[in-house]
Amino acid sequence: MTLSPPRKLLFAFAILAGCVSAAFYYVAAQRADVVVLARDIDDPRPITRDDVDVRTLSADLVPSDAVQRVEDVLGLVPRAPLFRGQLVVKRALAEELADFRSGQALAAGFRAVAIPLTAVNAVGGAVVPGARVDVLAVPVVGRAPPTRGTELLVSGARVLDVRGESGAPFTPRDQKTTALAGDRIGSVVIAIALADEVRFADRIGTSTFVLALVSTR
C-alpha cells in the first residue's frame, strides 16, 4: 500500500515522537548508587561503616561529586556536621581531622592563637574562616612601653575560626529577630609561626588588635 504525502508526514512524526519518548524513558530509568549518612555525625571524627549506607537514585538527581562507594569514605573526616539521609559529596570530606568546627585545619609547623577582637576591629565582622588577614597591634596606654608604636605582627595569616564572646563558634545575629539576639565576636583564631608565639603572648596583654583583610586575587 502506498501512503499519500500527508500520511507519510504523520507517520514520520509518529516515529520521531516514539524515539523521543524512548530517549526520555531511557534517561529517566538510569539509576546510580550513592553513599548517604545512616546517622548524624555532629562532632568531627573519622567515618566508620556504621555511619553510612548506600541508596539508589535516579542518575539525573546525583551530583557530579557524590561518593558512590562506601570504601571511598571510610576513615575520612567531615569538614562540617552531616545529617542522616544526607548525600555524601567529596568536597565535604577531608583526609585528616579538622582542628575547628569551621573545617579549617592547622598546617604542620604552625600554632593556633586566639586574639581578642570586637566586630569593628575584625573588618566590621566580615572576617570568616579561611580568610587571609594582616594583624596590627595598637599599644594600650599604661600597659605597653611608651616607646612602642603600632606594629604589624603578621601579614597574610590564615583565619582558622571566629569565636563568640561565649567561647563557642561565632553565629551571626539573626536580622529577623531582636537586636539583642545572637552572639558577638569575641576573638579570631589565626595560624602563626612557632617563632611568633612569645611576641603574640606579650602583645595580647598590652595591645588592641586590628585586622586588615588581604585580597586573594
Side-chain angles (χ1 to χ4, degrees), residues 103-146:
Q104 297 292 319
L106 183 63
F110 283 79
R111 302 293 186 268
V113 61
I115 53 178
L117 283 163
T118 60
V120 68
N121 290 352
V123 198
V127 172
V128 295
R132 294 281 185 174
V133 295
D134 291 343
V135 181
L136 302 166
V138 182
V140 175
V141 176
R143 295 185 185 176

Side-chain angles (χ1 to χ4, degrees), residues 87-198:
L87 270 68
V88 181
V89 294
K90 296 176 183 177
R91 63 178 179 273
L93 304 175
E95 293 185 359
E96 297 181 358
L97 183 65
D99 299 282
F100 301 96
R101 181 60 65 88
S102 65
Q104 297 292 319
L106 183 63
F110 283 79
R111 302 293 186 268
V113 61
I115 53 178
L117 283 163
T118 60
V120 68
N121 290 352
V123 198
V127 172
V128 295
R132 294 281 185 174
V133 295
D134 291 343
V135 181
L136 302 166
V138 182
V140 175
V141 176
R143 295 185 185 176
T147 56
R148 181 189 296 169
T150 299
E151 304 171 276
L152 175 61
L153 291 184
V154 64
S155 180
R158 178 178 293 279
V159 176
L160 299 175
D161 206 1
V162 180
R163 315 293 290 186
E165 290 183 330
S166 65
F170 173 65
T171 302
R173 182 173 297 156
D174 187 349
Q175 298 298 327
K176 296 181 181 180
T177 60
T178 64
L180 295 178
D183 204 355
R184 293 188 294 182
I185 292 178
S187 63
V188 172
V189 183
I190 62 171
I192 62 172
L194 174 61
D196 292 327
E197 274 187 322
V198 174

Side-chain angles (χ1 to χ4, degrees), residues 73-88:
V73 303
L74 299 182
L76 298 182
V77 181
R79 298 181 185 275
L82 298 176
F83 304 100
R84 182 180 180 182
Q86 181 176 342
L87 270 68
V88 181

